[in-house]
């Protein structure tokens, strides 16, 4: 829904541009007021769905500023001072409206500011400012590459799934980062030069390049640090801008290829008559037709490739087991991925596979595990497999591990109670079972279904 309101606001702003209808004077002011109002209403509706929608007025203001530059320096300058005043007023209204919408949305938040465990976004927890900026900038490159080549996708990128970039000399990725920054600066300089010269198509390219960048700013650790390293949901809106940019690039590439193949390499004699289909040169009509065929061919190939990846990813999201299996291939040392994958295997009845996966997560270091300790799931899996000695060992250590977890990231008393109830079920004496059950009941008075089942099984076994 956020994307729907976002695109409605953007297209309304573009279509209601007074210059498209040659409106001047009072009618120009009416159209400007109308499209600014539509944009701010769509922005408010988009923000109610997802906070990323707050960037809509800024994107429209950027478009207006570029159009103003193009009209001020371009070949078709008509009353540049009037156009400059109108553009400045439109940009001010949009930016002030964006700030007002953001403040209104912030006022609706209740309770303390949200926090996240350091494993969710390790790059944002680096104390040194330069190293933190370097690591967070690399995450932009990761998201940009995911737009272009969406093959390596994962449902959770926490912990060390993406190694932190902290050194400019010891990490080869710095070369890629520097190259990406130089390419982006070079493209920006070329676009600015084209805008100053008033070349056609430059404004559309600016919109195509600015769309994915500006819409990613709220999730890019620029304004605030977010509680995830990388996420597919952050790329939903930037992907629309990337498709727009890709269309512009394909159109330009097709035109260039058509001119390279079909246009003459030498200037023909203006006095000579060349019949179309002869050996001299090609007509502009034939060149345009060839460009159209090239454009549609390239577009069809890209659409087929992206459609196959989208269909494959949809199947993974529709099946929890497939989803976490694909995540395990990308992040084999992610504690949350291993815990959820082991739980899915256990639910499917593959107890031995679940034990193997959960054991890998259980053997991770305390820093890598974070708040995703699999002790309870592993204990229940070992109990189901009748490996009682191992289950007892894991449960005892699990109680100690869970007791050290930070309380501001979850209520771990219920998990401790279930581990005590499991130890009661595995107890070798009636007194030991009764002691563990008392510990479980003292930690969690309101028992859920799983804890109630464990307590009932222990009482039935020892007739308590």
């Amino acid at each position: 829904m956020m994307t729907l309101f976002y695109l409605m606001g953007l297209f309304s702003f573009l279509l209601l541009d007074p210059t498209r209808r040659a409106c001047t004077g009072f009618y120009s002011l009416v159209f400007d007021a109308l499209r600014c109002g539509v944009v701010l209403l769509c922005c408010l509706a988009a923000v109610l769905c997802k906070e990323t929608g707050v960037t809509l007025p800024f994107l429209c203001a950027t478009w207006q500023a570029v159009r103003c530059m193009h009209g001020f320096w371009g070949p078709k300058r008509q009353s540049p001072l009037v156009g400059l005043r109108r553009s400045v007023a439109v940009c001010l209204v949009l930016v002030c409206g964006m700030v007002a919408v953001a403040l209104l949305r912030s006022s609706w938040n209740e309770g303390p500011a949200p926090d996240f465990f350091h494993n969710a976004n390790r790059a944002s927890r680096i104390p040194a400012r330069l190293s933190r900026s370097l690591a967070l900038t690399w995450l932009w490159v990761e998201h940009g590459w995911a737009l272009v080549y969406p093959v390596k996708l994962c449902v959770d990128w926490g912990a060390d799934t993406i190694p932190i970039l902290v050194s400019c000399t010891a990490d080869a990725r710095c070369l890629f980062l520097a190259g990406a920054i130089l390419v982006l600066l070079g493209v920006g300089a070329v676009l600015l030069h084209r805008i100053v010269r008033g070349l056609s198509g430059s404004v559309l390219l600016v919109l195509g390049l600015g769309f994915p960048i500006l819409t990613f700013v709220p999730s890019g650790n620029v304004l605030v640090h977010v509680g995830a390293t990388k996420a597919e949901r952050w790329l939903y809106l930037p992907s629309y801008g990337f498709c727009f940019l890709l269309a512009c690039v394909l159109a330009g590439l097709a035109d260039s290829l058509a001119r390279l193949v079909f246009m003459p390499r030498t200037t023909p004699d203006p006095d000579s008559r060349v019949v179309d289909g002869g050996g001299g040169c090609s007509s502009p009509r034939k060149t345009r037709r060839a460009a159209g065929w090239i454009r549609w061919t390239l577009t069809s190939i890209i659409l087929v490739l992206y459609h196959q990846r989208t269909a494959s990813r949809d199947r993974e999201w529709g099946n929890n087991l497939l989803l976490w299996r694909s995540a395990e291939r990308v992040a084999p040392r992610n504690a949350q991925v291993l815990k959820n994958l082991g739980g899915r295997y256990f639910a499917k009845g593959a107890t031995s596979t679940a034990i193997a996966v959960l054991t890998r997560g259980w053997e991770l270091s305390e820093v890598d595990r974070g708040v995703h300790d699999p002790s309870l799931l592993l204990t229940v899996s070992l109990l189901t497999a009748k490996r009682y000695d191992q289950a007892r060992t894991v449960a005892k250590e699990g109680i100690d591990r869970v007791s050290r977890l930070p309380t501001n990231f979850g209520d771990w008393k219920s998990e401790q109670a279930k581990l005590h109830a499991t130890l009661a079920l595995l107890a070798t004496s009636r007194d030991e079972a009764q002691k563990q059950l008392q510990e479980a009941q003292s930690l969690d008075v309101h028992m859920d279904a799983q804890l109630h089942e464990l307590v009932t099984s222990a009482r039935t076994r020892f007739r308590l």
Side-chain angles (χ1 to χ4, degrees):
M1 288 299 294
M2 184 272 296
T3 305
L4 175 63
F5 290 120
Y6 201 101
L7 295 179
M8 285 176 55
L10 178 61
F11 291 144
S12 298
F13 186 80
L14 301 180
L15 295 176
L16 293 175
D17 192 346
T19 57
R20 293 174 55 89
R21 296 168 173 79
C23 296
T24 58
F26 175 75
Y27 293 101
S28 175
L29 294 176
V30 171
F31 273 97
D32 282 336
L34 178 61
R35 62 182 184 150
C36 287
V38 171
V39 167
L40 293 178
L41 286 177
C42 290
C43 176
L44 180 60
V47 167
L48 292 178
C49 300
K50 191 172 178 62
E51 289 78 4
T52 315
V54 76
T55 57
L56 172 60
F58 192 76
L59 179 61
C60 295
T62 303
W63 165 267
Q64 185 67 28
V66 173
R67 284 295 303 271
C68 178
M69 293 170 59
H70 188 268
F72 191 78
W73 284 306
K76 299 180 180 180
R77 294 181 296 179
Q78 297 179 357
S79 303
L81 187 59
V82 176
L84 179 62
R85 291 173 180 172
R86 185 174 63 85
S87 297
V88 170
V90 169
C91 291
L92 284 176
V93 170
L94 290 175
V95 173
C96 293
M98 179 187 67
V99 174
V101 171
L103 293 176
L104 178 63
R105 179 63 183 87
S106 300
S107 65
W108 294 340
N109 295 333
E110 298 180 357
D115 197 5
F116 55 89
F117 198 65
H118 74 276
N119 267 1
N121 188 359
R122 288 186 176 182
S124 65
R125 299 299 195 187
I126 299 176
R129 179 176 298 180
L130 180 61
S131 299
R132 182 173 65 249
S133 301
L134 186 65
L136 293 176
T137 305
W138 175 253
L139 296 182
W140 279 68
V141 179
E142 289 278 351
H143 284 87
W145 182 243
L147 281 177
V148 179
Y149 191 67
V151 173
K152 190 178 180 181
L153 299 177
C154 184
V155 69
D156 182 79
W157 293 87
D160 60 348
T161 305
I162 299 178
I164 296 177
L165 180 63
V166 294
S167 175
C168 295
T169 57
D171 200 325
R173 290 178 296 171
C174 286
L175 298 177
F176 294 98
L177 179 59
I181 294 175
L182 290 177
V183 169
L184 190 60
L185 292 176
V187 171
V190 171
L191 288 178
L192 182 61
H193 176 68
R194 289 176 62 89
I195 291 173
V196 171
R197 292 183 59 188
L199 298 179
S200 61
S202 55
V203 181
L204 293 177
L205 285 174
V206 169
L207 180 62
L209 186 63
F211 198 141
I213 293 177
L214 293 178
T215 53
F216 184 69
V217 167
S219 307
N221 293 279
V222 177
L223 304 176
V224 293
H225 292 158
V226 294
T229 303
K230 185 177 177 181
E232 296 174 43
R233 62 184 181 275
W234 295 342
L235 298 178
Y236 291 158
L237 193 56
S239 63
Y240 284 88
F242 172 71
C243 292
F244 192 90
L245 177 63
L246 188 59
C248 296
V249 172
L250 289 179
L253 181 61
D255 293 338
S256 301
L257 290 176
R259 286 194 297 267
L260 180 65
V261 174
F262 293 98
M263 292 298 286
R265 296 187 179 181
T266 58
T267 304
D269 187 2
D271 297 330
S272 63
R273 297 181 62 185
V274 179
V275 180
D276 190 19
C281 64
S282 176
S283 64
R285 181 179 179 182
K286 187 175 182 180
T287 303
R288 288 194 300 269
R289 188 182 304 170
W293 280 106
I294 295 174
R295 188 182 302 118
W296 281 109
T297 301
L298 294 176
T299 302
S300 301
I301 294 174
I302 292 176
L303 283 177
V304 169
L305 295 176
Y306 278 147
H307 176 266
Q308 289 183 346
R309 183 64 185 111
T310 302
S312 173
R313 192 59 177 166
D314 285 342
R315 287 193 297 269
E316 292 174 356
W317 277 101
N319 187 312
N320 284 327
L321 182 58
L322 291 178
L323 180 65
W324 291 106
R325 282 176 61 183
S326 66
E328 190 267 341
R329 289 192 293 267
V330 176
R333 287 180 49 82
N334 188 306
Q336 183 177 1
V337 170
L338 294 175
K339 181 179 180 179
N340 284 278
L341 179 59
R344 299 304 170 188
Y345 275 126
F346 180 76
K348 294 289 184 179
T351 307
S352 58
T353 308
I355 292 174
V357 173
L358 292 171
T359 301
R360 288 167 51 195
W362 193 73
E363 292 175 349
L364 293 174
S365 65
E366 185 174 358
V367 175
D368 291 332
R369 287 195 313 270
V371 295
H372 303 288
D373 187 87
S375 297
L376 178 60
L377 272 174
L378 182 56
T379 302
V380 175
S381 300
L382 291 170
L383 181 62
T384 305
K386 298 182 179 181
R387 295 159 63 171
Y388 302 126
D389 292 336
Q390 295 180 9
R392 191 179 294 108
T393 302
V394 171
K396 289 180 179 179
E397 186 171 346
I399 292 173
D400 181 60
R401 288 184 177 185
V402 174
S403 64
R404 296 197 302 268
L405 294 178
T407 56
N408 57 325
F409 294 106
D411 184 12
W412 311 112
K413 291 184 178 180
S414 177
E415 192 161 342
Q416 285 181 275
K418 292 173 185 178
L419 288 169
H420 280 290
T422 306
L423 282 178
L425 188 60
L426 295 169
T428 56
S429 64
R430 193 170 184 271
D431 293 337
E432 181 184 354
Q434 189 168 5
K435 179 182 177 181
Q436 295 295 340
L437 287 177
Q438 290 176 353
E439 290 286 344
Q441 292 176 348
S442 64
L443 289 169
D444 192 356
V445 179
H446 305 287
M447 295 187 293
D448 59 9
Q450 185 181 15
L451 180 56
H452 185 269
E453 182 180 357
L454 290 172
V455 170
T456 303
S457 300
R459 287 176 174 172
T460 302
R461 181 189 174 192
F462 291 99
R463 298 180 181 179
L464 295 176

